[in-house]
Amino acid sequence: MGIFDFTIKRALPAAAIVGPITAWAAITVVNDDWDDYFTPSSSTSNASNASNDSSSEEKIVILGSGWAALNALRKCASPNKSVVIVSPRPHFLYTPLLASSSVGTITLRSACEPLRSLVESAASKALSATFVRADAREIDVHNKKVYATTDADGMGLELSYDKLVIAVGAQPNTFGIPGVQDHALFLKEAEDSAKLHARLLCNLEKASALSSQGEKYRTEIDRLLKIVVVGGGPTGVELCAELADFKNHDVAKRYGTDISDRIQIVLVEMMPQILMPFDESLRNVAKEHLISKGVEVRTGCAVTYADEKDVTFQPSTPRNASAQQKAEAAAAARSEEVGALVWVGGVGARPLV
């Protein structure tokens, strides 16, 4: 069954109940990646709108350089549009490859596409398309202006617009847990992957050097080789699988089994199961797969504090937990030494929005 047949099959029941507007909306929702969206309107009005569009010039400012921003760039690029992309990141990042690049399965540049080449392609279709590397700080909706800075020193830019697309994405959410922002590693940007890769290699080299002294530094070696990943969503699960492959193949080959066998990978999730938005059968398969690769999966476990070398865990409690339940959970808290704490426990809004 083709995609069009599938779409019509999904949309027709709604159309029969409410009418053509619902049919159009249903089709649009079912497949929102179509390049063009046609609202139900007469051919006369369409012709009139096309005439007006061709005679007017419109400046569109797009904030961001991720999936939504580049999709907007592609769809906004037309002869009467002047498009400006504003982002502190000079590349498009293929985020699903971050986990692989953090362990060296692929190079990081394989996950990045220079933004200027994409903007140049759009410029051939639009009146103009430019890229401004800056960080948007404030939006004046009344005067239709965006205020941005080129760096931390506050070199200011003022950009006017006719239409504004806000696609700045999200940032890691630490939920205010003490120490996480300062001591955890993240996996949201290219720089995060590079930092994690550097930490892993650094800890491996230290552990390898210390292991030459026999059992003298056993405790420190165990700490260096313990990796805790917080967040049992798709990113955390994928990262743990990559780390397990890295341990069982690359580390065992280059550092020997004496080192690889001592690596501990722990996946921590505060919910009762990992991959909670997914079907239960998929959750079970993922958990069994991780365990078979040597990953320790802890569910119903929360992080309450993080330091440079220590992480504190305790049983998670529901939001409506009683004072007694919270006290019992706090009493069961314990600290463990870790070599790397990777936080992929959720995302939140950026300061701009």
Side-chain angles (χ1 to χ4, degrees):
M1 180 169 59
I3 184 63
F4 182 76
D5 296 330
F6 171 76
T7 304
I8 294 299
K9 186 175 181 180
R10 291 282 301 273
L12 281 181
I17 298 173
V18 183
I21 299 294
T22 299
W24 169 78
I27 292 173
T28 301
V29 170
V30 168
N31 189 356
D32 59 3
D33 285 332
W34 284 357
D35 289 341
D36 300 310
Y37 297 85
F38 298 100
T39 56
S41 57
S42 65
S43 58
T44 304
S45 62
N46 283 341
S48 174
N49 290 336
S51 175
N52 291 335
D53 288 344
S54 62
S55 63
S56 61
E57 295 181 4
E58 200 169 40
K59 184 174 182 180
I60 302 174
V61 172
I62 301 173
L63 305 181
S65 57
W67 300 91
L70 292 190
N71 197 33
L73 172 64
R74 179 171 60 87
K75 292 184 177 180
C76 291
S78 60
N80 63 323
K81 302 289 192 301
S82 177
V83 186
V84 179
I85 290 277
V86 181
S87 174
R89 188 173 68 188
H91 55 263
F92 166 74
L93 179 63
Y94 191 74
T95 49
L97 293 180
L98 279 178
S100 298
S101 64
S102 66
V103 296
T105 303
I106 64 166
T107 60
L108 187 55
R109 62 184 177 183
S110 299
C112 300
E113 178 72 18
L115 200 56
R116 289 193 178 275
S117 65
L118 301 173
V119 173
E120 182 181 354
S121 176
S124 63
K125 304 174 185 177
L127 184 64
S128 68
T130 56
F131 167 60
V132 177
R133 185 172 183 177
D135 194 359
R137 300 289 186 178
E138 185 180 351
I139 301 171
D140 184 350
V141 295
H142 299 292
N143 297 311
K144 292 190 173 183
K145 293 183 184 295
V146 173
Y147 299 97
T149 57
T150 56
D151 50 38
D153 296 331
M155 304 294 289
L157 300 176
E158 182 181 299
L159 304 168
S160 60
Y161 64 87
D162 295 313
K163 288 184 179 177
L164 178 66
V165 178
I166 302 175
V168 295
Q171 66 182 13
N173 189 352
T174 63
F175 302 97
I177 297 173
V180 172
Q181 188 67 49
D182 296 328
H183 302 294
L185 297 164
F186 301 95
L187 200 62
K188 193 72 173 65
E189 303 290 344
E191 295 82 0
D192 297 332
S193 176
K195 289 178 182 178
L196 176 55
H197 185 64
R199 174 72 67 83
L200 293 174
L201 293 184
C202 181
N203 286 1
L204 283 168
E205 293 295 348
K206 287 181 181 179
S208 179
L210 294 176
S211 65
S212 65
Q213 303 300 305
E215 297 295 312
K216 182 178 180 180
Y217 299 107
R218 180 180 183 83
T219 302
E220 178 63 8
I221 293 173
D222 289 339
R223 182 193 71 80
L224 289 168
L225 298 180
K226 186 168 187 175
I227 307 165
V228 173
V229 179
V230 180
T235 304
V237 169
E238 183 180 6
L239 177 60
C240 285
E242 289 284 358
L243 289 169
D245 288 339
F246 177 64
K247 163 192 169 181
N248 297 328
H249 298 93
D250 297 314
V251 177
K253 178 180 178 181
R254 293 183 172 86
Y255 295 89
T257 55
D258 290 342
I259 294 295
S260 65
D261 290 346
R262 296 176 70 170
I263 292 178
Q264 299 178 67
I265 304 169
V266 182
L267 176 60
V268 177
E269 169 57 48
M270 69 175 298
M271 299 296 286
Q273 296 184 44
I274 61 173
L275 299 175
M276 283 298 290
F278 293 82
D279 184 79
E280 186 175 2
S281 61
L282 294 177
R283 297 180 217 153
N284 293 334
V285 168
K287 184 176 181 179
E288 291 171 4
H289 180 69
L290 290 177
I291 293 174
S292 70
K293 285 178 169 288
V295 178
E296 179 185 349
V297 180
R298 299 181 188 175
T299 54
C301 181
V303 171
T304 58
Y305 179 78
D307 205 341
E308 184 178 0
K309 297 181 179 181
D310 301 276
V311 178
T312 302
F313 304 95
Q314 73 174 43
S316 58
T317 56
R319 292 184 178 180
N320 60 349
S322 65
Q324 182 180 353
Q325 288 176 312
K326 293 179 180 179
E328 291 175 352
R334 68 184 188 278
S335 294
E336 298 179 19
E337 293 187 331
V338 300
L341 171 65
V342 187
W343 189 271
V344 288
V347 294
R350 295 191 182 274
L352 179 68
V353 295

